[in-house]
Each structure stands twice: as structure tokens, then as C-alpha cells.
């Protein structure tokens, strides 16, 4: 037994109870998350442990809710669908707020490799990142009833909120924030936005499982040889419009100033294996642009926050890049011209508002990190 302080001893005791007769011979906290890697006395040798923090106030979805969603999603993938796209649940005690997962070593988080070596050094891993996102959506499309039966057995769940409701408040706040620039979503753009929301709320064949956070930090790959990607962190999992998971391939996420839209084709090909409608340029392009503008509005809710940041803060450039990327996606597929024009106008207004953000975003290499 390792010598640990009381909270960690409690966790170790719970893990040993779940995995008996195995004992924990090593424990390393993976800061800053409530996650640790436990080394065991017998096979499988090591596991990942996730737990709820006691008495920790959470956002609108409690930590208990999130652990239940993760367990349901991972067992749905491994037990119901028989696919290896994510870690298996080794054991769980949801009453104790503890989940033990398969350790996916030697895979590492893709975002760490990109920050250390640059995107040019990891073309195969970026393609694997895009492909595994598409595979996850493809294999789960049309299987919502199976997932929600499993999820409901673990506690109440709101399917409508999973699909389109979880970020509705942020989108509305984004609209209010950008109105302060004198650039309300109005006229043709407003009519298009209404259609965009209809698309996202009723995805049709594009309804698929997402882990809820499609960024590169939640995909693990091998740093050498075949990338063999896996998706992790399903705490916000739910069935939603599949193309939400493609946004990160076209629009910079929280950690980046730029991305490489060329990866989108790898995602699209993988998605089409389970959602043939993805082969239709108009259908795919409209859904993708809809998801991109939904995300852009979500990011615009941070406008007043960014106003208060220091001159030269990368998050300002990132918001400009976000708006321009969303507009570029719509233009490239010949859809949503009103929203595309509005997106370019917002980006231009931000450049005027923040002269430090008036940079050539298009000239940045792929996956330039944002300084935090």
C-alpha cells in the first residue's frame, strides 16, 4: 500500500475494493483534474481513476450527472456497439462517485504533441484525430434509443438539452454582446440563424453521439508508429448534431489561433460510412456551417471579458479568427450568405475595436497555440 494522505487513502481503498484482489502499488494524481493513474499489483497493471470532488459547486450539470453520462457512453460504445474508440469502464461505484477506466498508455494527448512539435510534425496524428471523430459519429448514428435506455438506468437525463439546449443561453448572450457593436443578427442573417437552429435541434440522420468536447486534448494518439487514436472525456456526452464535432477542424477552439480545415475531408469520409448523407455537399456544408456559426455565437458571449484583457492578449486574435473561419466555411460550401457576411462584418468590427488583434490570421500556420 502506498503512503498517502487521508483523501487519497480513501480513494485507494475504494479502488482496491472494486478491483480486489488487486492492490494499488502506485498512485499519481493527474493535475488539475480529479483524475489519477493507479498502478496495480496484477493485470491490467494500471488504470485511470476519476472521482467526484466532495461538496464542490458545479455548473448546470453536476459532477454526479457527468460521471453517469461518462459511464453510460463508454459502456454503450464497448458493450452495446462493440467498438474500441474510447477507454473501457473497468469498474464503477457511482454512489461513491468513482469510476475506474482502462489506461490507454502509451497514447498521449494530441494537443501536447502539437504544442511541443508543431502541426507539421504530426500530419498522420491530425488525420487520425479527424478520422476518429467521424468514426465515433458514424458508428453511433441511429442508435440513440439504445444509449438513452442505458443512460436513463443511471438517472434522469434531458435528451432535448443534450441535442441543442446545453449552449442555448451562451448563444443568446453572444447575440446580446455583439449587438453592443451595432451588429445585431438581423435581416437575412437573422432568418438564416432561425434555420440554423432548426437544423441543430432536429439533426435527422446526423443525430449521433458526441463526447461533448471535440478538441485535441480529448483525443489520445500514439506518438510513434500508427497513431491509433482514442477519444476520452465523455462527461458531457449526449446525442447531438454530429457536425458539432467537426467544428474544431475548421474553427479555432479555446487553445488555438488557427486550425487546418484540410482535415475535414478525413472526418467527412469516416462519417459517411455511417451517415451517407454526409456525401451530399449541400447537406454536409449546411450542417457544418450551422454548427460553426452556433459555436461562433457561443464564443461571442466572451466579448466584454476580452475587452477587459491586456493589449496583445491572444484571446482577442482568436475571436477574430473564429468569426472569419465560420464565415469562410459558409462561403466555401455556398451556404448561409447572410450569416457569412455578418461574420465578416463582426470580425472587421473587432479588428477596429482591438487594433492589437488586427493581424493576418490567414497567414498563421496550422495549430498555432493561444497563449494562456
Amino acid at each position: 500500500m502506498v503512503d498517502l494522505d487521508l483523501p487519497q487513502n480513501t480513494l485507494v481503498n475504494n479502488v482496491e475494493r472494486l478491483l480486489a484482489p488487486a492492490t494499488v502499488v502506485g498512485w499519481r494524481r493527474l493535475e488539475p483534474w480529479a483524475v489519477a493513474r493507479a498502478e496495480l499489483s496484477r493485470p491490467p497493471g494500471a488504470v485511470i481513476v476519476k472521482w467526484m470532488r466532495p461538496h464542490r459547486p458545479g455548473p448546470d450539470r453536476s459532477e454526479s450527472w457527468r460521471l453517469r453520462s461518462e459511464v453510460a457512453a463508454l459502456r454503450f460504445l464497448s458493450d452495446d456497439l462493440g467498438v474500441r474508440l474510447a477507454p473501457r469502464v473497468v469498474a464503477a461505484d457511482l454512489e461513491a462517485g468513482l469510476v475506474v477506466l482502462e489506461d490507454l498508455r502509451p497514447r498521449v494527448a494530441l494537443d501536447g504533441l502539437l504544442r511541443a512539435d508543431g502541426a507539421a510534425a504530426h500530419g498522420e496524428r491530425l488525420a487520425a484525430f479527424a478520422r476518429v471523430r467521424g468514426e465515433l459519429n458514424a458508428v453511433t448514428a441511429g442508435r440513440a434509443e439504445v444509449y438513452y435506455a442505458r443512460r436513463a438506468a443511471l438517472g434522469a437525463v434531458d435528451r432535448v438539452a443534450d441535442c441543442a439546449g446545453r449552449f442555448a443561453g451562451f448563444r443568446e448572450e453572444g447575440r446580446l454582446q455583439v449587438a453592443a457593436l451595432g451588429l445585431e443578427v438581423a435581416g437575412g442573417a437573422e432568418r438564416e440563424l432561425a434555420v440554423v437552429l432548426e437544423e441543430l435541434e432536429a439533426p435527422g440522420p446526423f443525430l449521433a453521439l458526441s463526447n461533448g468536447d471535440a478538441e485535441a486534448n480529448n483525443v489520445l494518439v500514439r506518438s510513434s508508429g500508427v497513431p491509433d487514436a482514442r477519444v476520452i472525456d465523455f462527461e458531457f456526452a449526449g446525442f447531438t448534431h454530429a457536425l458539432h464535432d467537426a467544428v474544431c477542424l475548421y474553427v479555432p477552439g479555446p487553445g488555438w489561433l488557427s486550425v487546418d480545415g484540410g482535415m475535414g475531408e478525413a472526418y467527412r469520409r469516416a462519417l459517411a460510412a455511417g451517415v451517407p448523407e454526409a456525401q451530399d455537399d449541400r447537406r454536409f456544408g449546411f450542417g457544418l456551417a450551422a454548427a460553426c456559426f452556433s459555436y461562433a455565437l457561443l464564443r461571442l458571449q466572451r466579448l466584454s471579458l476580452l475587452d477587459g484583457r491586456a493589449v496583445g492578449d491572444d484571446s482577442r486574435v482568436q475571436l477574430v479568427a473564429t468569426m472569419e473561419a465560420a464565415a469562410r466555411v459558409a462561403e466555401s460550401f455556398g451556404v448561409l450568405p447572410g450569416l457569412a457576411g455578418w461574420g465578416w462584418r463582426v470580425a472587421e468590427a473587432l479588428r477596429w475595436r482591438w487594433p492589437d488583434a488586427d493581424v493576418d490570421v490567414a497567414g498563421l500556420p496550422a495549430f498555432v497555440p493561444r497563449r494562456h
Side-chain angles (χ1 to χ4, degrees):
M1 172 69 67
V2 288
D3 184 17
L4 302 166
D5 60 30
L6 181 59
Q8 290 179 330
N9 273 329
T10 300
L11 288 166
V12 168
N13 289 338
N14 283 335
V15 170
E16 291 184 330
R17 172 175 55 81
L18 287 172
L19 302 184
T23 58
V24 174
V25 296
W27 182 274
R28 184 166 71 88
R29 176 79 180 268
L30 304 180
E31 299 283 2
W33 304 281
V35 179
R37 172 172 283 114
E39 304 290 343
L40 304 177
S41 61
R42 58 177 58 205
V47 290
I48 298 297
V49 182
K50 300 182 75 169
W51 64 91
M52 292 191 304
R53 296 179 176 93
H55 312 300
R56 179 174 180 265
D60 58 340
R61 300 190 171 205
S62 69
E63 293 201 28
S64 172
W65 183 97
R66 289 154 55 184
L67 279 184
R68 282 166 166 75
S69 293
E70 178 142 38
V71 168
L74 294 179
R75 285 180 169 161
F76 166 66
L77 292 171
S78 64
D79 299 355
D80 298 326
L81 303 186
V83 296
R84 296 295 303 278
L85 299 176
R88 292 182 302 103
V89 175
V90 176
D93 184 343
L94 294 174
E95 294 305 314
L98 186 74
V99 177
V100 181
L101 303 175
E102 175 187 9
D103 185 358
L104 294 174
R105 282 187 301 180
R107 299 174 187 85
V108 295
L110 175 59
D111 74 320
L113 296 175
L114 297 177
R115 291 174 188 279
D117 307 324
H122 295 291
E124 286 187 12
R125 284 154 196 84
L126 283 165
F129 164 47
R131 192 163 51 247
V132 77
R133 301 299 329 179
E135 290 170 351
L136 175 64
N137 295 155
V139 77
T140 59
R143 305 302 299 274
E145 297 303 325
V146 178
Y147 166 74
Y148 282 109
R150 182 178 282 280
R151 177 61 183 84
L154 299 181
V157 61
D158 186 341
R159 295 177 60 161
V160 174
D162 273 355
C163 185
R166 67 178 69 179
F167 297 124
F170 292 113
R171 282 198 302 263
E172 187 56 34
E173 180 61 25
R175 292 184 67 175
L176 294 174
Q177 291 277 345
V178 82
L181 297 175
L183 289 168
E184 296 90 347
V185 184
E190 186 172 29
R191 290 189 292 273
E192 289 176 2
L193 181 59
V195 179
V196 159
L197 297 180
E198 288 177 6
E199 167 74 13
L200 299 178
E201 290 168 3
F206 288 93
L207 184 65
L209 183 73
S210 170
N211 73 325
D213 185 355
E215 295 295 332
N217 59 301
N218 286 329
V219 168
L220 305 186
V221 295
R222 294 181 188 272
S223 57
S224 61
V226 178
D228 194 23
R230 296 285 190 274
V231 182
I232 62 169
D233 196 356
F234 283 75
E235 291 183 6
F236 286 91
F239 268 72
T240 188
H241 199 298
L243 294 178
H244 282 303
D245 278 7
V247 171
C248 63
L249 308 176
Y250 294 86
V251 177
W256 312 106
L257 297 181
S258 59
V259 292
D260 180 6
M263 297 189 304
E265 281 305 308
Y267 168 86
R268 186 178 177 184
R269 285 192 298 272
L271 176 63
V275 184
E277 291 82 356
Q279 298 176 80
D280 184 315
D281 284 349
R282 185 78 179 179
R283 189 80 184 271
F284 179 84
F286 179 78
L288 176 63
C292 288
F293 274 109
S294 174
Y295 179 75
L297 280 166
L298 185 152
R299 299 301 286 175
L300 279 169
Q301 55 91 22
R302 303 170 70 248
L303 182 59
S304 59
L305 173 67
L306 303 193
D307 267 340
R309 291 191 173 170
V311 172
D313 190 290
D314 274 354
S315 56
R316 294 178 169 186
V317 177
Q318 182 192 53
L319 189 56
V320 171
T322 295
M323 298 310 303
E324 293 183 350
R328 195 174 295 114
V329 167
E331 288 185 345
S332 68
F333 284 96
V335 298
L336 303 176
L339 279 173
W342 173 80
W344 288 115
R345 291 192 297 275
V346 171
E348 185 63 22
L350 294 176
R351 289 176 180 274
W352 278 99
R353 190 182 188 89
W354 303 320
D356 53 306
D358 187 18
V359 303
D360 179 14
V361 175
L364 294 174
F367 291 96
V368 171
R370 178 172 78 82
R371 292 167 297 178
H372 292 280

